[in-house]
Amino acid sequence: MATMTIRNLDDDLKTLLRLRAARHGQSMEEEARSILRAALAGRVEDDSGAALYAAIRARVEPLGGVELELPARDPQRDPPDFDEPDAGK
């Protein structure tokens, strides 16, 4: 197993960790390991957005789908012609 030292930890953050560990009946080290495990569980190592998509879908899918009515789109207007002297007026 690896060992890690965390330097320059704010006193307030250390206090919160100590209190949280006490609530869960474990040491601060075990609490920190639990937090890291929970934070990193199921993460995709790339930045493809797959993990975010999966997390949103897992949360929303049990609620059922929603059918959205999409309004009709107007045709695009013609781009301005900058060759004419009165263009844009």
Side-chain angles (χ1 to χ4, degrees), residues 6 11 39 47 63 69 83:
I6 302 175
D11 290 335
D47 292 332
L63 303 175
E69 185 177 324
D83 292 333

Side-chain angles (χ1 to χ4, degrees), residues 59-75:
R59 189 168 285 219
V60 173
E61 194 170 34
L63 303 175
V66 175
E67 292 296 325
L68 299 176
E69 185 177 324
L70 298 176
R73 298 180 104 188
D74 294 331

Side-chain angles (χ1 to χ4, degrees), residues 9 11-40:
L9 190 62
D11 290 335
D12 292 342
L13 189 58
K14 183 180 176 184
T15 300
L16 290 172
L17 180 62
R18 183 178 53 79
L19 294 172
R20 181 174 166 155
R23 277 195 312 270
H24 294 138
Q26 57 191 15
S27 69
M28 287 193 328
E29 283 184 353
E30 184 56 37
E31 187 66 24
R33 283 190 290 269
S34 296
I35 291 168
L36 286 170
R37 266 188 231 104
L40 299 175

